[in-house]
Amino acid sequence: MNSRHPELKSFIEVEQNSDFPIQNLPYGVFKCKNKPTPRVGVAIGSMLIDLDCLESKGLLKLSQKVFHHSSLNEFINLGKVEWDKTRQKLRELLSFDCPIIRDKPVLKEQCLHKRSEVEMLLPIQVGDYTDFYSSIEHASNVGSMFRDKNNPLLPNWKHLPVGYHGRASSIVVSGSNIKRPVGQIKQSEQTPPHLQACAKLDFELELAAVIGKKSKVGQTIKLEEAPSHVFGFVLMNDWSARDIQKWEYVPLGPFVSKSFATSVSPWVIPMSALEPFKVKGPQQDPTPLKYLQHQENDKAHFDINLSISLQGKEHERSKKISQTNSKSLYWSLAQQITHHTITGCNINVGDLMASGTISGQEKNSYGSMLELSWNGQKPIQIDENNKRSFLEDYDQVIMNAWSECETYKLGFGELTGQILPAAEL
Ligand code: MN
């Protein structure tokens, strides 16, 4: 059988261009008007199937009841055998030739919701969030802007996946408004720092892996074992205040310029859905140390297209400002996890490991405004009358991610966030 399962079809209609064919089946947490208790659901076409409902009807038999929770963590904690069992059962129940739900109007009414009528919540209870810096194009752009055009990468960059510990408490779900942060900014060498609203507010286009299996303190996860520690992926927008960052980041890295908010997609795409889209990564030169070396034929990267659109309050519709692909990332997710644990640092279920800003080689494939407008030196044209260097109040940022093969497209759903004015000083 083809691993992409092109023959799979559901009795639920899935439009050609939908992010959610039966081959996807991503998990999220939702609530709705007539039942405001948060619970786990799965997206298919324009519908959502309520797993708490299926579980209570005895249609999903797992070792514990896990779908009446306000996060996916309890389900993820059950481990891969039960993830696979659930996925297989859902494929069966939703397939076009299975009458169990298809032919029962009352059950359908109870367990199926229109996605447009439910509210999606943060899917994961995130314990720790680590942000890497794995795109060579992004790291080179930033290095040549602020350090040395001819030698943009720092000496460590090609030897280890650079990262920092992000802030988990301010991770919010798509659709949450983002208040423009206030912080310390130093305008020039001559002027003293002062407190003001961020004038260089930015987004960062990223993918983040959701950890599905924990490790112990003192344990290092080997490269070949790293994929088994991942449950799935979310799309991420790591909001950044560039002017605050510039003044604060020496010598320990970004702090409050990054910690005010990070948005994630409501849908977690399971690793098994992305399995057919695994590809070989770029050649690494110099060869990294042994613990980070992939085998010649390892497919440790993912062929996922990514795009960014922007809509200001003066715009009638959103305009696509960038498109790229995650397969060009220099460091793989497995290398990030192995390096993260090389000193014995443990990881937990629900931790997020983000890629860092994903930029391509072309100017219209950069993953941040900092790069797209080259730190404000080359504002980008949004429409005839409007340009942008950084984000303005009421701008809406829309990110999308999807993989495609001959027979279907599989996506993450939209990740949106709108900028609201800063608090008055
Ligand atoms: Mn980032």
Side-chain angles (χ1 to χ4, degrees), residues 399-411:
M399 294 180 174
N400 281 281
W402 69 99
S403 292
E404 267 173 314
C405 62
E406 316 75 53
T407 41
Y408 64 89
K409 169 194 166 202
L410 169 160

Side-chain angles (χ1 to χ4, degrees), residues 159-161 223 288-294 331 335 338-339:
H159 294 275
L160 51 86
L223 198 63
L289 293 179
K290 193 128 192 15
Y291 76 101
L292 291 173
Q293 271 174 34
H294 276 296
W331 295 103
Q335 288 173 320
T338 295
H339 184 69

Side-chain angles (χ1 to χ4, degrees), residues 129 131-132 164 204 206 238 240 258 356-357:
Y129 150 45
D131 197 14
F132 285 90
Y164 74 101
E204 290 189 336
E206 307 197 18
D238 183 22
S240 302
K258 295 277 198 170
T357 308

Side-chain angles (χ1 to χ4, degrees), residues 133 138-157 249-250:
Y133 196 49
H138 174 67
S140 302
N141 284 339
V142 175
S144 62
M145 229 179 279
F146 296 113
R147 284 188 303 271
D148 182 355
K149 225 190 270 180
N150 301 314
N151 204 6
L153 296 177
L154 286 168
N156 60 4
W157 201 90
Y249 87 102
V250 184

Side-chain angles (χ1 to χ4, degrees), residues 4 13 28 96 134 149 156 165 220 252 264 269 304 337 368:
R4 288 176 172 171
E13 200 195 327
F96 74 100
S134 289
K149 225 190 270 180
N156 60 4
H165 291 294
T220 294
L252 290 186
V264 295
I269 315 300
I304 301 172
I337 291 173
S368 65

Side-chain angles (χ1 to χ4, degrees), residues 179-185 187 194-202 239-245 256-257 260 390-393 419-423 425:
K179 189 156 85 172
R180 181 178 296 276
V182 163
Q184 267 200 38
I185 290 164
Q187 296 285 19
H194 62 286
L195 195 66
Q196 70 159 68
C198 168
K200 290 188 170 182
L201 186 54
D202 203 353
W239 304 97
S240 302
R242 301 298 180 196
D243 40 7
I244 300 172
Q245 185 177 358
V256 298
S257 60
F260 60 94
F390 288 95
L391 296 172
E392 296 185 3
D393 286 347
I419 307 303
L420 296 186
L425 286 172

Side-chain angles (χ1 to χ4, degrees), residues 3-202:
S3 67
R4 288 176 172 171
H5 300 288
E7 74 289 356
L8 270 180
K9 278 204 174 63
S10 176
F11 66 86
I12 296 168
E13 200 195 327
V14 178
E15 284 181 17
Q16 185 85 44
N17 204 34
S18 171
D19 276 344
F20 307 116
I22 192 170
Q23 289 86 351
N24 193 347
L25 303 181
Y27 296 94
V29 172
F30 76 104
K31 62 180 183 179
C32 54
K33 260 196 192 132
N34 53 12
K35 192 181 170 196
T37 327
R39 54 209 191 272
V40 175
V42 157
I44 179 155
S46 59
M47 305 299 283
L48 174 148
I49 184 138
D50 180 342
L51 299 198
D52 179 37
C53 175
L54 293 186
E55 189 173 59
S56 68
K57 308 278 178 201
L59 292 169
L60 294 172
K61 293 192 191 76
L62 297 176
S63 59
Q64 286 173 50
K65 287 201 166 188
V66 288
F67 296 124
H68 61 291
H69 289 287
S70 58
S71 83
L72 297 173
N73 295 45
E74 283 77 8
F75 169 57
I76 298 174
N77 254 319
L78 295 180
K80 187 163 170 29
V81 171
E82 301 211 57
W83 309 340
D84 290 349
K85 197 173 147 188
T86 305
R87 190 167 163 78
Q88 186 51 41
K89 189 71 196 169
L90 286 171
R91 280 186 167 185
E92 230 175 274
L93 288 170
L94 294 169
S95 81
F96 74 100
D97 56 1
C98 177
I100 297 174
I101 300 174
R102 187 193 66 194
D103 295 350
K104 302 237 174 63
V106 178
L107 183 62
K108 258 164 109 172
E109 175 76 32
Q110 289 168 328
C111 293
L112 280 170
H113 302 274
K114 284 190 181 140
R115 285 195 294 106
S116 56
E117 290 172 6
V118 304
E119 184 188 342
M120 297 307 297
L121 307 170
L122 187 66
I124 304 288
Q125 196 189 329
V126 183
D128 276 300
Y129 150 45
T130 306
D131 197 14
F132 285 90
Y133 196 49
S134 289
S135 159
I136 194 166
E137 290 82 6
H138 174 67
S140 302
N141 284 339
V142 175
S144 62
M145 229 179 279
F146 296 113
R147 284 188 303 271
D148 182 355
K149 225 190 270 180
N150 301 314
N151 204 6
L153 296 177
L154 286 168
N156 60 4
W157 201 90
K158 284 188 165 184
H159 294 275
L160 51 86
V162 169
Y164 74 101
H165 291 294
R167 182 78 194 164
S169 68
S170 53
I171 294 176
V172 296
V173 73
S174 171
S176 305
N177 294 326
I178 305 298
K179 189 156 85 172
R180 181 178 296 276
V182 163
Q184 267 200 38
I185 290 164
K186 195 173 182 317
Q187 296 285 19
S188 68
E189 299 261 316
Q190 294 77 31
T191 53
H194 62 286
L195 195 66
Q196 70 159 68
C198 168
K200 290 188 170 182
L201 186 54
D202 203 353

